[in-house]
Amino acid sequence: MLQRALKSARHWATVLLSRESRRHAKVGPLTNWREKRDFQIRFLRDQGLRPDQSLLDVGCGTLRGGIPIIDYLEGERYTGVEARPEVLDDARAELREHHLEDKRPTLVAHGDLATLDLQQRFDVIWAFAVLIHMSDDVLDGALDFVRRHLAEGGAFFGNITTEERSDKSWEGFPDVARPISFYEERARAHGLAVENLGPMRAFGHPAGHGADQQMLRFTLPSG
């Protein structure tokens, strides 16, 4: 009887792990998945994010980074935007499994930031591993979106790939490298200032994929 119970428990643990792995794979490689989750909330807190502030997560996916952020923020302070509606179904499952539905985050399925108006400004806008998956025209729409939704004194953070390599694709999205000067030019065109904070490894990102990507901070120019 005990042997049968243990076998059943192992079976369902394997099923659950497989389901979680499939869900997690929708936002990137499973390698260092948890470390990348932990990095996001740690970075944002180190940059001054407070529980009473509002945060907009662009490309929130299955809430890999969103779960600890929602847990940290006060209720109704988190908004996530995702281009793939089916991925938000997994995000809602994550919310239920982590018992965070009472935080009442807002999750929005929308594939074109250029046409999206949330009728709110946010203290922090966050785009982890998102700008690198935007074509030039989509990036322009995203920066215009940021300008329209960033609160005065707020900041938009996004990591980028700068090393020279052949452009690739991931999950139907481009996977592009651009020089920092390109982002500086496009930021100015959209009324934003931008600062390169340095490689993500300097902020505790795990070694390996993404560690040498640069973290940018966009702000609204004062005055």
Side-chain angles (χ1 to χ4, degrees):
M1 178 73 72
L2 177 60
Q3 210 170 28
R4 189 160 54 246
L6 289 173
K7 183 177 180 180
S8 177
R10 285 195 296 268
H11 166 75
W12 286 111
T14 300
V15 170
L16 180 60
L17 177 62
S18 175
R19 186 175 66 221
E20 288 184 344
S21 296
R22 289 196 300 270
R23 184 187 302 164
H24 296 167
K26 293 179 181 179
V27 294
L30 293 176
T31 305
N32 292 332
W33 186 93
R34 188 165 299 280
E35 289 86 349
K36 287 175 179 287
R37 161 177 278 186
D38 295 342
F39 167 80
Q40 295 185 56
I41 183 61
R42 185 172 62 249
F43 174 86
L44 289 167
R45 292 187 65 171
D46 287 348
Q47 293 299 313
L49 177 66
R50 304 191 311 268
D52 63 338
Q53 290 184 309
S54 58
L55 181 139
L56 172 59
D57 193 351
V58 176
C60 64
T62 61
L63 300 182
R64 172 174 61 178
I67 289 297
I69 296 171
I70 292 167
D71 189 35
Y72 173 70
L73 295 175
E74 295 176 357
E76 302 184 38
R77 298 286 184 173
Y78 176 96
T79 297
V81 176
E82 171 58 44
R84 300 164 293 172
E86 70 280 6
V87 171
L88 285 187
D89 292 336
D90 291 313
R92 294 184 182 97
E94 287 277 324
L95 277 176
R96 290 191 296 271
E97 291 175 14
H98 287 84
H99 309 291
L100 288 172
E101 292 175 292
D102 62 333
K103 285 294 187 84
R104 299 179 300 281
T106 298
L107 300 179
V108 178
H110 203 287
D112 184 6
L113 293 177
T115 64
L116 179 59
D117 184 1
L118 297 175
Q119 299 185 342
Q120 180 183 350
R121 289 186 177 268
F122 297 85
D123 298 305
V124 175
I125 301 180
W126 176 239
F128 183 75
V130 172
L131 300 183
I132 60 175
H133 295 306
M134 290 181 172
S135 61
D136 291 356
D137 59 326
V138 172
L139 176 66
D140 273 324
L143 292 177
D144 179 68
F145 172 81
V146 167
R147 179 188 55 78
R148 292 184 283 111
H149 289 86
L150 188 60
E152 185 177 350
F156 165 48
F157 299 96
N159 53 304
I160 64 167
T161 298
T162 58
E163 71 268 18
E164 292 185 12
R165 59 174 173 76
S166 298
D167 289 347
K168 302 182 296 182
S169 64
W170 173 81
E171 293 288 319
F173 297 100
D175 187 356
V176 300
R178 303 183 181 98
I180 293 173
S181 59
F182 180 90
Y183 290 93
E184 292 172 339
E185 176 188 340
R186 300 319 302 155
R188 285 194 299 269
H190 291 281
L192 296 167
V194 62
E195 175 186 4
N196 180 22
L197 300 181
M200 293 207 292
R201 56 181 161 75
F203 298 95
H205 188 283
H209 178 72
D212 290 323
Q213 292 178 356
Q214 303 295 304
M215 181 64 75
L216 303 183
R217 176 172 58 198
F218 298 79
T219 56
L220 296 170
S222 57

